Amino acid sequence: MIFHVLTIFPEFFRGPFEYGVVSRAVQTNKIQIRIHDLRQWTFDRHRSVDDRPFGGGEGMLMKPEPIFLAAQAILPQKSDNKKIALMSAQGRLFDQATARRWSALDELLLICGRYEGVDERVAQNLVDEETSIGDFVVSGGELPAALIIDAVARLVPGVLGNEASSENESFSTGLLDCPQFTRPADFRGHAVPEVLLGGNHEEIRKWRHETALAKTAKHRPDLLKKI
Ligand code: SAH
């Protein structure tokens, strides 16, 4: 799968993909990550990507033309297997189901906004999805894009060594993951639940399901309503 990122800060992406699962996926060619500098598609003296908002108001907006030109150059042939998503606090919430859906794509282009956001015609006429990473505002689409690439890449077939490990984790079952423990069995007087030390697999399976349910009810009751 090929991930494309369109940004005015290409250097931003030097760090995030150089560790662990994602870095290994790049090295083994399971995924490619291509960072595109939006200013390549500006042709004025100042290479400007922003302008003042119509109707007045604070700050600057990213203008449509460089973004349209870039998207057309990066994905000249759109198809069901190639999608464009705009990073936006006004978007639909990104979740594990979206990550799974996108992990089957051939190519995904993520457009990063900055300033006060992006001219609405990009959302209306260019992209397939307008996507938010949560109910809060960050100052640019770069962190959201990096986060989405990480979440999608680990679901691309062959990226996680043990395929089962993405099936049993938080959200895939509809619940949060169960609590996990490692050695020592007694840490500063806090003991690991007895059942995990016993080796009775059926008991352990039951305990894991019950504690996953309890943790979901405590932290994310909204998830329980969905299942
Ligand atoms: N004025 C906008 C916020 C602009 S923040 C608003 O109130 O909705 C600048 C850029 O950061 C946005 O264009 C978007 O690309 C990115 N961004 C900010 N919050 C985000 C979020 N929750 N999810 C995804 N992208 C976000």
Side-chain angles (χ1 to χ4, degrees):
M1 174 172 183
I2 305 176
F3 295 91
H4 300 275
V5 180
L6 187 59
T7 173
I8 59 169
F9 296 130
E11 304 284 309
F12 189 98
F13 294 92
R14 288 186 162 234
F17 306 128
E18 283 172 15
Y19 302 89
V21 170
V22 175
S23 143
R24 228 172 304 125
V26 172
Q27 276 161 21
T28 56
N29 218 21
K30 303 273 185 333
I31 62 167
Q32 288 179 31
I33 302 173
R34 300 188 190 162
I35 310 297
H36 306 270
D37 184 349
L38 180 64
R39 288 192 207 276
Q40 273 183 263
W41 289 279
T42 56
F43 304 100
D44 62 304
R45 203 153 46 91
H46 302 291
R47 312 193 77 187
S48 60
V49 293
D50 59 328
D51 210 332
R52 290 195 304 275
F54 279 122
E58 296 293 304
M60 302 293 269
L61 280 183
M62 296 187 65
K63 51 189 195 176
E65 185 168 35
I67 298 178
F68 270 75
L69 288 173
Q72 273 147 16
I74 294 166
L75 292 182
Q77 255 136 28
K78 285 291 306 297
S79 74
D80 287 350
N81 289 326
K82 300 179 184 184
K83 281 207 188 303
I84 305 181
L86 173 66
M87 303 297 97
S88 163
Q90 299 148 42
R92 204 171 287 141
L93 274 182
F94 181 78
D95 60 9
Q96 190 70 6
T98 314
R100 202 164 278 287
R101 193 156 48 81
W102 288 358
S103 70
L105 293 173
D106 295 333
E107 297 187 51
L108 174 63
L109 166 59
L110 304 173
I111 300 175
C112 305
R114 277 275 157 179
Y115 315 114
E116 297 303 314
V118 180
D119 184 292
E120 187 68 14
R121 285 164 291 190
V122 170
Q124 288 173 342
N125 306 304
L126 179 67
V127 308
D128 301 295
E129 317 221 13
E130 194 177 347
T131 306
S132 168
I133 56 159
D135 292 345
F136 47 84
V137 177
V138 292
S139 42
E142 285 77 11
L143 278 173
L147 182 152
I148 286 174
I149 289 175
D150 188 307
V152 175
R154 58 198 297 289
L155 298 179
V156 169
V159 166
L160 286 185
N162 176 5
E163 289 295 323
S165 56
S166 83
E167 277 160 30
N168 294 322
E169 60 191 6
S170 294
F171 310 112
S172 294
T173 57
L175 298 177
L176 301 178
D177 201 357
C178 62
Q180 309 251 45
F181 299 87
T182 183
R183 284 186 290 185
D186 190 303
F187 176 67
R188 299 184 177 176
H190 305 292
V192 167
E194 200 59 47
V195 53
L196 297 179
L197 307 175
N200 180 332
H201 294 296
E202 183 51 27
E203 284 293 305
I204 292 173
R205 197 195 56 75
K206 248 181 69 191
W207 180 88
R208 286 185 166 154
H209 181 65
E210 279 159 14
T211 52
L213 259 177
K215 200 158 186 188
T216 308
K218 185 167 170 222
H219 290 167
R220 296 294 305 277
D222 58 302
L223 294 178
L224 287 182
K225 282 192 210 120
K226 288 193 206 151
I227 56 174

